[in-house]
Amino acid sequence: MTLTLTQIQHILEKENLLREFVTPAKWCLTAPFEKTFQQLSYDSRNADDHTLFFCKGNNFKEEYLKQALSQGLSVYIAEQPFEVAADLAIIVHDIRKALAVLSMAFYDYPQEKLTVIGITGTKGKTTTAYFAKKILDQANGEKTALFSTLSTTLDGVTFFKSQLTTPESLELYQMMQQAVTNGMTHLVMEVSSQAYKVARVYGLTFDVGIFLNISPDHIGPIEHPTFEDYFYCKRQLISHSKQIVLQNETDHVDLLLEMAQKQNTPVITYGDMGADYHVEPLKHPLSFALTSEDDELGLNDEYNLRLAGDFNKENAAAALIASRLAGANQAHAKKGLAEALVPGRMNLLLKENGAHIYVDYAHNYLSMKSILAFAKENHPEGTITVITGSTGGKAESRREGIGQAIGEYADTAILTMDDPNFEDPQKIAEEIQAAIQNEQVTVRYIEDRKQAILETMETIGPNDALVLAGKGTDKYMTLNGEDQPYEGDYVIVENYLAQL
């Protein structure tokens, strides 16, 4: 993989990103010499004379560039020149957009060698992604790469933990290229609001885009300042997809449809009776029917899942429609959905006395409301207990939503830690508790999450439901900037039940 200085000039000019070239002797608009780069990097620890170094990030310091120069670096790219001894500075309007377009070129545009499904929404992205991968695996023989919040696979079968919902553009295209090298034909990826906010997916067009829903989330000082900004970033998927799968009851659906129309982007809707495809829950709790008057995709039928909840049936509908557009057929969809399991998504465990324990990654108002409402509906004669917390240092607005959902649907809340990082977990719990506007809800604080789970497991009765929200199968707990080992909610419950 290489890029020449002349190629870089042409790419940046085409995207209207190039400002000028700066050398110790002159400023110019044309590359003053030729050079071939064998590596792109924004990490000063990983830079040498063959590297094009990107000065990016809110926390970038000039000392990082000086460190890279001391290791042999001679050319850097930035939004402003620095007073350093470099052979050349490439000055651009937007360093993040430049990183995106140069990364895809460096890795030879791997997105063009894959059929790519992009999924966005406030909730349901990961479940939908796993459903879509499982369906497409039936069609292509497990040649589907996956970039999700939970995990990533570049060979279709080996998974590793994801660092970001949507990777930084340099890593994104490197991983896409590796997926192509591994023989993958499809890629299913979650697209976060931050991916558009900070240009991680700038210039990327999806073969199929899925827009699941929208509600306030990720609003805070280090993410989105307002809901409008969050929604604006989310809906950029509409403008950058060849065709869209859209939930027809989502908030602001008229704006989304108008946006697609202006872009001449075909849309297939799913949801209620007014949608192109109607999702109808059946008597069996894990079954649903998909019906359409026209059924141009040939999907009318009944489908079975292994995950509980009507919202998962909607996620499944989105996945099967998108997968059909990406080359799968109805038989692939039926088999894939029937086999799909999603770590930490409505996983159900049963205590000997009949109590149900649901392990889920619910972490905001919508997802918490969905699982608690499901538990309340399915356990009308029992007590609904939830064990939860909220992450520290980000998305502070989630805490109020979590408390609101608890107040609406739970009988008991055990507040505990959930990756508090540098924040005091008790302070986070107090913020959640302050939003529980229901005096009938019993609230306790147990800082140690495992202790909270084991103590509660002892008390739940035959008709009760216990919801473990937030951590799922995660095997770490982020404390003071470090990932400490943690068994995972599912494993803790599984081991407890095995000892009974």
Side-chain angles (χ1 to χ4, degrees):
M1 304 296 172
T2 61
L3 266 185
T4 67
L5 203 50
T6 299
Q7 289 174 320
I8 290 168
Q9 175 188 327
H10 292 160
I11 292 167
L12 294 177
E13 286 177 337
K14 182 180 178 181
E15 295 292 332
N16 295 314
L17 289 171
L18 181 65
R19 292 171 71 101
E20 65 266 339
F21 294 98
V22 177
T23 74
K26 66 177 181 177
W27 292 28
C28 52
L29 299 177
T30 304
F33 54 81
E34 189 59 282
K35 183 177 178 65
T36 298
F37 299 95
Q38 299 173 4
Q39 179 178 241
L40 307 183
S41 178
Y42 53 81
D43 185 343
S44 58
R45 297 165 297 183
N46 185 27
D48 56 26
D49 183 48
H50 302 292
T51 303
L52 176 61
F53 181 71
F54 290 78
C55 303
K56 81 157 191 78
N58 295 332
N59 299 318
F60 179 79
K61 298 177 182 178
E62 187 174 318
E63 63 190 68
Y64 300 153
L65 175 57
K66 290 179 178 179
Q67 177 188 351
L69 290 167
S70 71
Q71 297 163 186
L73 183 80
S74 59
V75 179
Y76 69 90
I77 180 168
E79 292 179 358
Q80 64 181 39
F82 293 91
E83 295 295 327
V84 295
D87 292 345
L88 180 66
I90 306 170
I91 309 304
V92 294
H93 292 291
D94 189 313
I95 189 65
R96 291 185 177 277
K97 290 180 179 179
L99 179 63
V101 296
L102 293 178
S103 294
M104 65 172 72
F106 183 81
Y107 287 107
D108 195 24
Y109 303 95
Q111 72 273 26
E112 297 177 1
K113 302 163 189 173
L114 296 162
T115 299
V116 186
I117 295 177
I119 306 168
T120 201
T122 302
K123 69 183 184 76
K125 295 187 296 297
T126 299
T127 300
T128 305
Y130 271 76
F131 282 155
K133 172 178 165 46
K134 198 67 176 180
I135 294 169
L136 290 169
D137 279 345
Q138 297 297 325
N140 61 27
E142 295 190 334
K143 295 180 180 179
T144 311
L146 175 72
F147 302 166
S148 85
T149 303
L150 287 183
S151 57
T152 296
T153 177
L154 305 180
D155 62 5
V157 294
T158 306
F159 291 79
F160 58 89
K161 181 174 174 55
S162 303
Q163 297 301 312
L164 295 167
T165 296
T166 308
E168 183 57 82
S169 55
L170 178 57
E171 286 75 30
L172 177 66
Y173 291 104
Q174 188 276 329
M175 291 195 299
M176 280 192 192
Q177 188 273 333
Q178 186 61 55
V180 171
T181 300
N182 290 341
M184 300 298 99
T185 58
H186 291 74
L187 166 63
V188 178
M189 61 178 286
E190 296 181 42
V191 186
S192 67
S193 57
Q194 284 291 302
Y196 281 110
K197 180 77 171 175
V198 297
R200 291 176 193 154
V201 290
Y202 176 79
L204 176 60
T205 298
F206 297 95
D207 294 290
V208 184
I210 301 176
F211 196 102
L212 297 168
N213 45 63
I214 191 72
S215 65
D217 195 16
H218 292 284
I219 298 171
I222 63 173
E223 294 183 276
H224 298 278
T226 63
F227 171 73
E228 187 279 334
D229 185 71
Y230 172 65
F231 181 36
Y232 176 80
C233 291
K234 280 286 192 188
R235 69 178 186 255
Q236 295 313 300
L237 184 80
I238 304 287
S239 299
H240 297 92
S241 297
K242 296 177 183 177
Q243 45 195 346
I244 287 290
V245 179
L246 173 63
Q247 213 287 343
N248 78 314
E249 299 168 274
T250 190
D251 289 348
H252 307 289
V253 68
D254 290 343
L255 175 61
L256 298 172
L257 289 169
E258 180 183 7
M259 191 174 181
Q261 185 178 23
K262 282 182 174 290
Q263 300 287 334
N264 294 316
T265 304
V267 178
I268 296 177
T269 59
Y270 67 97
D272 64 15
M273 292 298 294
D276 296 322
Y277 279 91
H278 171 48
V279 184
E280 181 184 354
L282 300 178
K283 185 175 181 180
H284 192 286
L286 297 178
S287 299
F288 72 98
L290 198 66
T291 58
S292 170
E293 290 186 5
D294 299 326
D295 193 23
E296 294 182 0
L297 299 179
L299 294 175
N300 281 0
D301 209 334
E302 296 183 2
Y303 299 86
N304 298 314
L305 301 175
R306 297 174 69 181
L307 275 72
D310 288 350
F311 51 92
N312 280 324
K313 295 168 186 176
E314 297 244 334
N315 294 334
L320 72 89
I321 293 169
S323 299
R324 177 71 182 87
L325 293 172
N329 61 31
Q330 185 187 65
H332 300 139
K334 295 192 76 168
K335 193 172 191 323
L337 289 176
E339 295 180 359
L341 273 177
V342 185
R345 293 297 192 270
M346 288 292 284
N347 289 327
L348 175 61
L349 291 151
L350 297 174
K351 193 176 175 182
E352 282 187 348
N353 65 1
H356 285 49
I357 302 96
Y358 298 97
V359 182
D360 192 272
Y361 278 105
H363 60 277
N364 57 27
Y365 174 72
L366 271 181
S367 55
M368 187 70 78
K369 174 185 175 181
S370 294
I371 189 167
L372 290 179
F374 174 82
K376 196 172 187 69
E377 180 182 354
N378 286 272
H379 302 271
E381 298 177 4
T383 296
I384 310 301
T385 300
V386 58
I387 297 177
T388 192
S390 190
T391 53
K394 65 178 182 178
E396 289 86 349
S397 62
R398 289 176 179 171
R399 300 168 193 177
E400 182 179 354
I402 290 170
Q404 181 183 343
I406 290 171
E408 292 172 355
Y409 293 99
D411 299 299
T412 300
I414 312 297
L415 301 180
T416 186
M417 64 169 60
D418 181 350
D419 297 332
N421 206 354
F422 293 104
E423 283 198 67
D424 179 356
Q426 187 164 0
K427 175 182 171 292
I428 296 173
E430 288 169 355
E431 292 180 27
I432 296 172
Q433 184 170 358
I436 302 175
Q437 300 297 312
N438 184 346
E439 295 181 355
Q440 301 301 313
V441 178
T442 301
V443 182
R444 296 173 58 206
Y445 175 70
I446 302 176
E447 185 166 300
D448 185 280
R449 191 177 180 101
K450 181 175 181 179
Q451 177 187 344
I453 293 171
L454 295 178
E455 286 187 12
T456 308
M457 286 293 298
E458 290 286 344
T459 63
I460 52 175
N463 297 315
D464 297 341
L466 170 60
V467 175
L468 307 182
K471 289 297 290 178
T473 56
D474 283 353
K475 295 190 177 299
Y476 67 91
M477 183 73 71
T478 305
L479 297 167
N480 300 316
E482 296 184 1
D483 289 343
Q484 303 290 341
Y486 176 69
E487 292 173 76
D489 290 357
Y490 190 92
V491 171
I492 290 171
V493 175
E494 192 174 42
N495 290 341
Y496 172 88
L497 295 175
Q499 295 171 8
L500 293 180

